[in-house]
Amino acid sequence: MDTLEANTHEMLGITENRDTIEKEIHCDNDLLIRDTESNQNEGIVVHTREKSVSWKNVPGCGILLLLCYVLLSNLVNVMVKDLTSIPPVSLLFYRSLIMLGVSMPWAVAVNKPPFPPDMDRKEQGLLVFRGVVGFANILASYYSLRY
């Protein structure tokens, strides 16, 4: 392989084996197109394309997620209003535990830390402040539903 071809392959992200050439083209974060050229014994080149499926391509997915959110939040509001024997702070604690139990496996699966290394201290402080304000907002809404 000459120098020009090697530089072109390096720029395109092409890796070569003896019988296979693979190109990966990344478009956005959700799209991965892998173009594989396999040299068969007969000298025929086979092209295959793989495209990952994204939830963004499902029609009406956003509307369905919005409807699920509204139904679940109204269900929680009814439960908070009816559970008068449990203090709102305890309800918020258990709600937070459930949210942690749902979100933590996803964060671990996609290898997403709560504070990415490229985030500076100011952004981390704003993220913590957002959490505190969200906590106060939900606590206030629980108290307003109860009293």
Side-chain angles (χ1 to χ4, degrees):
M1 185 177 347
D2 63 343
T3 307
L4 179 60
E5 190 176 354
N7 289 341
T8 306
H9 283 203
E10 182 179 327
M11 287 173 45
L12 290 175
I14 299 173
T15 58
E16 272 196 51
N17 296 333
R18 273 190 275 163
D19 297 330
T20 305
I21 299 175
E22 287 188 1
K23 290 187 277 189
E24 289 185 1
I25 304 168
H26 295 277
C27 304
D28 296 327
N29 290 336
D30 296 328
L31 180 63
L32 169 65
I33 299 173
R34 180 175 287 138
D35 189 5
T36 307
E37 297 177 8
S38 299
N39 297 326
Q40 305 294 329
N41 291 337
E42 298 85 28
I44 300 172
V45 177
V46 177
H47 293 279
T48 58
R49 288 202 183 273
E50 298 173 18
K51 186 177 178 182
S52 64
V53 178
S54 172
W55 59 269
K56 293 178 183 179
N57 297 334
V58 177
C61 183
I63 300 288
L64 290 174
L65 289 174
L66 184 65
L67 286 173
C68 288
Y69 167 75
V70 169
L71 289 173
L72 289 174
S73 65
N74 285 332
L75 178 69
V76 167
N77 288 341
V78 168
M79 288 172 52
V80 167
K81 196 162 183 96
D82 287 342
L83 292 174
T84 56
S85 61
I86 302 173
V89 176
S90 297
L91 290 174
L92 184 57
F93 174 74
Y94 290 119
R95 176 194 181 272
S96 299
L97 280 180
I98 291 170
M99 294 289 289
L100 182 68
V102 169
S103 64
M104 190 57 84
W106 174 79
V108 169
V110 296
N111 196 18
K112 187 117 177 156
F115 296 112
D118 60 343
M119 185 182 286
D120 61 356
R121 288 282 185 200
K122 182 181 177 185
E123 290 173 333
Q124 289 177 356
L126 287 173
L127 197 59
V128 169
F129 178 71
R130 177 185 173 196
V132 170
V133 169
F135 167 79
N137 180 23
I138 302 245
L139 186 61
S141 70
Y142 280 9
Y143 269 107
S144 71
L145 285 171
R146 179 67 61 85
Y147 304 111

